[in-house]
């Protein structure tokens, strides 16, 4: 239907409510408002209506405000034990500095209930001045209103999100398949780190399967939404609709994750013991290339490069590098400095104080592009050995995550 069809049938616009569930309580803690047009026996989704720039602004405002008034008039007459997520096109909000939108909220919501309101807007669809938008949202927050940023992902501008100081980051995983989990892990790790830094909770939407629910749970999602859990309805549902279901599924997730973590811990411990045994037997030093080559041969199945640095990150030894299944000596690596690498100095301090070896997280090697881990260990008061572990070995023993 085109814009005029919607406007001439605006009395048939209805507000629908999709439940949002919490990880900590396993209950419905909020509803997101969706606008739908009832056309005979069809329900036409109006989610994108406010963003269609081919439609005049006044028409989009009329429909957006119609949905807002309908939802608040209905929901505020019910119980007050849930939050209300309200859709908002930031490009329309800024036209009058958010005054008319706030007036509608105040028309239906008492001052002591404004903390239940969550304004949902999309950062990468906004085309105006982020400073102005930030000021409007700060003003809204003085009333206790919360802010959620919608469609957070690879296209998002992190600096703009930080400027808007949201309470909730909404991440859509509807298109996430089981096969693409590993490929997208870095993105979700980054989003989780961002959420922690700015004090926001993560809401995973588009959950259409139990596997996606497990992914959301494993990646720090506090709130969940999607067809697998509950579709949008014309009315609210019981708060404890899925409480038993969540308890059962989460117990399965916990059991599986504990088993995987235990297996990973044991494999890493076995690898560390093997590495330390070889190092203790050979006792390599930076000035003895033959010892380093001997150690490399001992570690032929798991490593592709070993080298020694001092505590300031200057490389004291050549690289002992495996090329075409043969160990070679790369003298040009001597005196290179690696202190600029993230966590290098932190790792040195940890090794120096604990006097024990440390495994890095997974990362991509700048020379080979291969995903890997590095095992680091102090050899003496001034030398630290670094052993790069190949992805093939890590994958074989399931210690690549």
């Amino acid at each position: 239907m085109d814009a005029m069809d919607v406007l001439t049938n605006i009395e048939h616009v209805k507000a629908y409510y999709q439940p949002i569930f919490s990880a900590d309580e396993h209950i419905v803690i909020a509803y997101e408002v969706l606008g739908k047009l009832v056309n005979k026996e069809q329900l036409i989704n109006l989610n994108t209506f406010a963003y269609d720039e081919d439609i005049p602004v006044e028409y989009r405002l009329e429909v957006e405000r119609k949905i807002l008034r309908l939802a608040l008039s209905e929901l505020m007459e019910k119980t007050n034990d849930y939050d209300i997520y309200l859709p908002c096109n930031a490009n329309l909000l800024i036209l009058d500095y958010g005054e008319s939108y706030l007036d509608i909220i105040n028309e239906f919501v008492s001052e002591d209930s404004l903390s239940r309101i969550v304004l949902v807007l999309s950062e990468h669809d906004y085309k105006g001045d982020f400073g102005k938008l930030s000021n409007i949202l700060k003003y809204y927050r003085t009333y206790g209103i919360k802010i959620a940023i919608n469609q957070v992902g690879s296209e998002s501008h992190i600096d703009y999100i930080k400027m808007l100081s949201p309470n909730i980051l909404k991440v859509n995983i509807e298109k996430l398949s089981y096969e693409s989990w590993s490929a997208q892990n870095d993105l979700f790790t980054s989003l989780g780190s961002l959420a922690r830094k700015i004090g926001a909770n993560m809401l995973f939407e588009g959950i259409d399967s139990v596997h996606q629910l497990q992914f959301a749970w494993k990646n720090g999602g506090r709130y969940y939404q999607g067809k697998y859990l509950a579709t949008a309805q014309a009315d609210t549902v019981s708060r404890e609709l899925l409480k038993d279901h969540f308890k059962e599924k989460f117990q399965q997730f916990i059991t599986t994750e504990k088993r995987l973590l235990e297996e990973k811990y044991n494999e890493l411990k076995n690898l560390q013991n093997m590495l330390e045994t070889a190092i203790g037997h050979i006792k390599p030093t930076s000035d003895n290339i033959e010892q380093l080559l001997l150690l490399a041969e001992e570690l032929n199945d798991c490593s592709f490069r070993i080298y020694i640095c001092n505590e300031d990150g200057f490389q004291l030894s050549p690289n002992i590098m495996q090329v075409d299944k043969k160990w070679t000596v790369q003298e040009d690596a001597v005196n290179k400095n690696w202190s600029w690498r993230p966590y290098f100095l932190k790792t040195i301090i940890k090794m120096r104080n604990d006097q024990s070896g440390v495994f890095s997280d997974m990362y991509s090697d700048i020379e080979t592009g291969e995903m890997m881990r590095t095992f680091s260990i102090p050899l003496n008061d001034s030398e630290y050995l670094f052993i790069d572990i190949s992805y093939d070995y890590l994958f074989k023993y399931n210690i690549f995550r």
Side-chain angles (χ1 to χ4, degrees):
M1 299 181 76
D2 62 26
M4 290 309 300
D5 289 329
V6 174
L7 290 166
T8 54
N9 290 279
I10 198 166
E11 71 275 9
H12 296 134
V13 171
K14 303 292 181 185
Y16 275 65
Y17 313 110
Q18 185 165 28
I20 296 171
F21 297 82
S22 76
D24 40 12
E25 295 182 84
H26 302 174
I27 59 175
V28 176
I29 51 87
Y31 291 91
E32 181 164 12
V33 173
L34 307 172
K36 294 180 183 287
L37 179 65
V38 182
N39 179 34
K40 297 179 182 178
E41 294 184 0
Q42 276 189 314
L43 278 178
I44 300 171
N45 212 321
L46 298 177
N47 286 358
T48 60
F49 189 90
Y51 291 92
D52 188 345
E53 295 186 357
D54 291 331
I55 301 172
V57 168
E58 61 269 23
Y59 295 168
R60 290 188 280 154
L61 282 169
E62 184 176 354
V63 172
E64 185 177 70
R65 290 168 183 176
K66 170 73 172 180
I67 295 167
L68 181 61
R69 284 192 170 95
L70 276 173
L72 291 177
S73 65
E74 292 175 357
L75 292 178
M76 294 311 295
E77 291 182 356
K78 300 179 184 295
T79 59
N80 62 356
D81 53 5
Y82 53 80
D83 285 351
I84 303 170
Y85 283 58
L86 298 175
C88 174
N89 181 346
N91 297 297
L92 301 181
L93 181 75
I94 202 169
L95 293 177
D96 65 352
Y97 296 92
E99 290 297 337
S100 58
Y101 202 98
L102 185 58
D103 286 344
I104 296 172
I105 293 174
N106 284 325
E107 181 182 340
F108 295 97
V109 184
S110 63
E111 187 176 347
D112 60 353
S113 293
L114 285 171
S115 60
R116 295 175 56 197
I117 301 300
V118 182
L119 204 65
V120 182
L121 51 88
S122 175
E123 152 269 332
H124 59 261
D125 285 327
Y126 178 62
K127 299 179 179 179
D129 185 322
F130 272 87
K132 290 181 180 178
L133 179 60
S134 176
N135 288 335
I136 292 172
L137 299 184
K138 285 178 183 176
Y139 179 59
Y140 271 52
R141 277 195 292 271
T142 63
Y143 289 93
I145 294 173
K146 296 186 281 288
I147 308 299
I149 301 297
N150 202 17
Q151 300 172 343
V152 176
S154 57
E155 297 180 2
S156 297
H157 297 86
I158 302 304
D159 289 340
Y160 290 154
I161 290 177
K162 289 179 179 178
M163 187 184 299
L164 301 180
S165 301
N167 305 92
I168 296 109
L169 299 181
K170 291 193 71 186
V171 183
N172 194 316
I173 57 172
E174 185 176 6
K175 296 180 181 179
L176 180 72
S177 65
Y178 187 81
E179 290 76 17
S180 65
W181 283 22
S182 295
Q184 297 201 33
N185 265 344
D186 287 346
L187 170 62
F188 291 106
T189 299
S190 297
L191 293 178
S193 176
L194 171 64
R196 288 191 295 275
K197 286 180 180 178
I198 65 176
N201 288 306
M202 292 184 71
L203 189 163
F204 282 81
E205 61 179 332
I207 296 175
D208 292 345
S209 68
V210 66
H211 299 299
Q212 290 175 337
L213 177 62
Q214 184 177 15
F215 183 89
W217 170 83
K218 188 171 181 176
N219 282 273
R222 185 178 183 182
Y223 304 129
Y224 312 114
Q225 181 183 22
K227 295 175 184 176
Y228 173 74
L229 303 172
T231 57
Q233 303 289 331
D235 202 353
T236 57
V237 298
S238 166
R239 291 192 85 204
E240 299 191 355
L241 175 69
L242 295 180
K243 188 160 188 174
D244 291 340
H245 179 77
F246 268 99
K247 185 176 181 180
E248 176 191 349
K249 293 303 176 185
F250 277 26
Q251 189 58 60
Q252 292 173 6
F253 300 163
I254 292 166
T255 300
T256 300
E257 188 67 13
K258 285 169 66 178
R259 176 179 56 80
L260 291 173
L261 289 172
E262 193 74 33
E263 290 174 358
K264 176 181 171 181
Y265 175 84
N266 289 332
E267 289 296 346
L268 281 174
K269 200 66 181 175
N270 290 339
L271 176 58
Q272 181 171 348
N273 290 337
M274 183 266 285
L275 295 173
E276 290 180 350
T277 297
I279 294 164
H281 174 68
I282 295 171
K283 297 181 174 59
T285 56
S286 61
D287 58 358
N288 192 323
I289 305 303
E290 293 304 317
Q291 284 180 316
L292 285 171
L293 285 168
L294 184 60
L295 177 62
E297 290 293 343
E298 285 278 322
L299 307 180
N300 197 60
D301 292 338
C302 67
S303 178
F304 68 93
R305 180 173 54 212
I306 63 176
Y307 56 97
I308 295 173
C309 292
N310 68 16
E311 66 174 29
D312 293 329
F314 287 97
Q315 190 160 327
L316 303 177
S317 77
N319 281 340
I320 309 301
M321 183 86 175
Q322 192 173 136
V323 180
D324 296 327
K325 299 184 178 181
K326 293 183 179 179
W327 289 101
T328 62
V329 178
Q330 299 178 335
E331 293 284 355
D332 60 344
V334 176
N335 291 325
K336 287 186 176 180
N337 185 270
W338 305 112
S339 62
W340 57 269
R341 282 179 164 173
Y343 306 111
F344 183 93
L345 294 178
K346 287 183 180 179
T347 301
I348 291 290
I349 297 302
K350 181 173 177 57
M351 286 192 291
R352 190 175 69 188
N353 285 281
D354 294 350
Q355 283 299 300
S356 64
V358 179
F359 280 105
S360 73
D361 292 332
M362 290 290 294
Y363 68 97
S364 178
D365 181 54
I366 58 176
E367 184 175 331
T368 67
E370 181 175 309
M371 295 302 294
M372 53 175 278
R373 285 180 186 271
T374 297
F375 178 72
S376 317
I377 189 170
L379 296 175
N380 50 53
D381 290 341
S382 60
E383 296 187 340
Y384 297 84
L385 175 67
F386 296 83
I387 302 173
D388 292 336
I389 311 300
S390 70
Y391 181 80
D392 288 343
Y393 184 91
L394 297 170
F395 184 82
K396 178 180 179 180
Y397 291 98
N398 199 27
I399 47 179
F400 62 95
R401 286 180 288 185

